[in-house]
Amino acid sequence: MGLFKNTLARVLGIGGTRIDTKLEKTEYQAGERVKGELHIKGGKVKQELESVFLHVMTDYEVESNDKTYHQNGTLQKVIVSVDRVINASEEVVIPFFFTLSENTPVSLHKSHIWIKTHLEIDKAVDQYDADGIQVIPSIGLKTVIQALQEEGFVLRESENKKKFGKIIQEFEFYPMNGEFRGKLDELEVNYLSFDKTVDIVLQVDRKAKGLTGLFSDSLGTDEINVRISFSKEQITDKQFVRNSLMNAIKRYCK
């Protein structure tokens, strides 16, 4: 009977090993270290555990054949090595930590972020757990948002999309006040963080003027894409960021 139960555990996962991910907290800043524990409880028989995979997940917009729908995607994958045998009913606690990518979309509007835990069991049915988290802007992104708001822009909408080879969050600003009111329809902002630099990609949507402007607007030719690079030090300097963004917008908003 013991051999039969062990065979079922290895092939079908009937052993019942379970995993529960416990995070230190539920709110993190993009770029912050995430700490937590993996609580693994053995089933009816001993089983060999290999690895635990932590997937930082979100849903994002996909356009295909003139239709728009949403699907889930992995933003970041972390591997926690276990490589041990867990006995029947044994409880194991494994601490872990990783740095949340600075490119993680923030919890805003329709953006939801969660961590999916995948316990890989040798020759058995894998186990999963999912924990939602709140993500607030990184210091750099917060600087960009504040700089634009001080120039009269209002954050109107955000959407997660697959762009530049990765899932990123697109922010849509409207010029409610300031010198760009009446000159721009909207300003789309993408924040791309790398090891040593940060790129801000702007889509400047100029307001249509006259018949020529309306014709250009209908063709999408009134939209200008601008890419600005900052060092990690510059992106936290609000005045520098503000001046750089305004100069770029002015250049293409005549």
Side-chain angles (χ1 to χ4, degrees):
M1 185 66 178
L3 177 61
F4 177 67
K5 288 174 65 176
N6 184 59
T7 301
L8 286 177
R10 293 181 62 82
V11 178
L12 301 176
I14 291 177
T17 298
R18 293 289 181 266
I19 186 167
D20 183 21
T21 304
K22 297 184 182 296
L23 301 174
E24 184 180 48
K25 53 184 182 177
T26 57
E27 181 178 278
Y28 293 90
Q29 184 175 50
E32 184 180 353
R33 173 177 283 195
V34 177
K35 295 174 64 178
E37 295 177 338
L38 302 174
H39 289 243
I40 305 174
K41 182 175 177 58
K44 297 180 179 179
V45 297
K46 69 177 181 180
Q47 289 181 293
E48 184 177 345
L49 307 183
E50 297 180 355
S51 300
V52 174
F53 299 91
L54 302 175
H55 299 258
V56 181
M57 306 285 295
T58 192
D59 57 340
Y60 63 99
E61 182 182 283
V62 178
E63 295 181 6
S64 178
N65 298 323
D66 296 325
K67 293 183 179 180
T68 300
Y69 61 94
H70 285 78
Q71 68 181 36
N72 297 339
T74 299
L75 298 163
Q76 190 175 353
K77 181 178 178 180
V78 179
I79 301 176
V80 181
S81 178
V82 180
D83 195 23
R84 61 163 294 169
V85 172
I86 183 169
N87 294 314
S89 300
E90 181 183 5
E91 296 186 20
V92 177
V93 177
I94 301 175
F96 69 86
F97 66 86
F98 67 92
T99 300
L100 189 65
S101 170
E102 195 175 337
N103 290 311
T104 304
V106 300
S107 302
L108 184 68
H109 300 146
K110 302 173 185 177
S111 177
H112 302 286
I113 311 296
W114 66 95
I115 296 178
K116 184 179 77 171
T117 307
H118 170 202
L119 172 62
E120 186 175 279
I121 306 173
D122 182 40
K123 298 181 181 179
V125 177
D126 297 346
Q127 299 298 322
Y128 296 87
D129 186 28
D131 299 86
I133 61 173
Q134 294 291 310
V135 180
I136 61 176
S138 65
I139 297 175
L141 178 57
K142 184 178 179 181
T143 301
V144 172
I145 293 174
Q146 289 179 341
L148 289 170
Q149 288 175 334
E150 291 178 4
E151 288 291 338
F153 286 91
V154 175
L155 179 57
R156 184 164 58 183
E157 186 62 271
S158 69
E159 186 72 62
N160 298 337
K161 296 183 177 181
K162 190 77 171 288
K163 298 174 67 176
F164 311 110
K166 60 181 69 179
I167 302 171
I168 64 172
Q169 192 167 24
E170 184 176 87
F171 299 93
E172 182 182 301
F173 288 86
Y174 175 74
M176 183 69 73
N177 299 295
E179 67 175 295
F180 297 107
R181 181 180 180 183
K183 295 181 180 179
L184 296 180
D185 277 336
E186 64 181 20
L187 178 71
E188 293 182 357
V189 179
N190 298 136
Y191 185 95
L192 302 172
S193 178
F194 302 98
D195 289 339
K196 297 182 180 180
T197 60
V198 171
D199 283 5
I200 304 298
V201 182
L202 306 176
Q203 182 173 291
V204 183
D205 191 354
R206 297 175 294 187
K207 200 161 188 74
K209 295 180 180 179
L211 291 176
T212 303
L214 289 172
F215 182 68
S216 297
D217 191 43
S218 66
L219 294 176
T221 56
D222 244 25
E223 297 177 351
I224 305 296
N225 292 300
V226 186
R227 190 164 185 148
I228 312 170
S229 291
F230 298 90
S231 68
K232 291 292 186 176
E233 292 73 27
Q234 291 171 335
I235 198 63
T236 59
D237 184 337
K238 187 170 63 177
Q239 193 57 49
F240 183 84
V241 170
R242 183 175 176 178
N243 291 339
S244 299
L245 294 177
M246 292 309 104
N247 289 337
I249 296 172
K250 287 176 184 177
R251 191 157 57 244
Y252 296 99
C253 188
K254 296 181 181 179

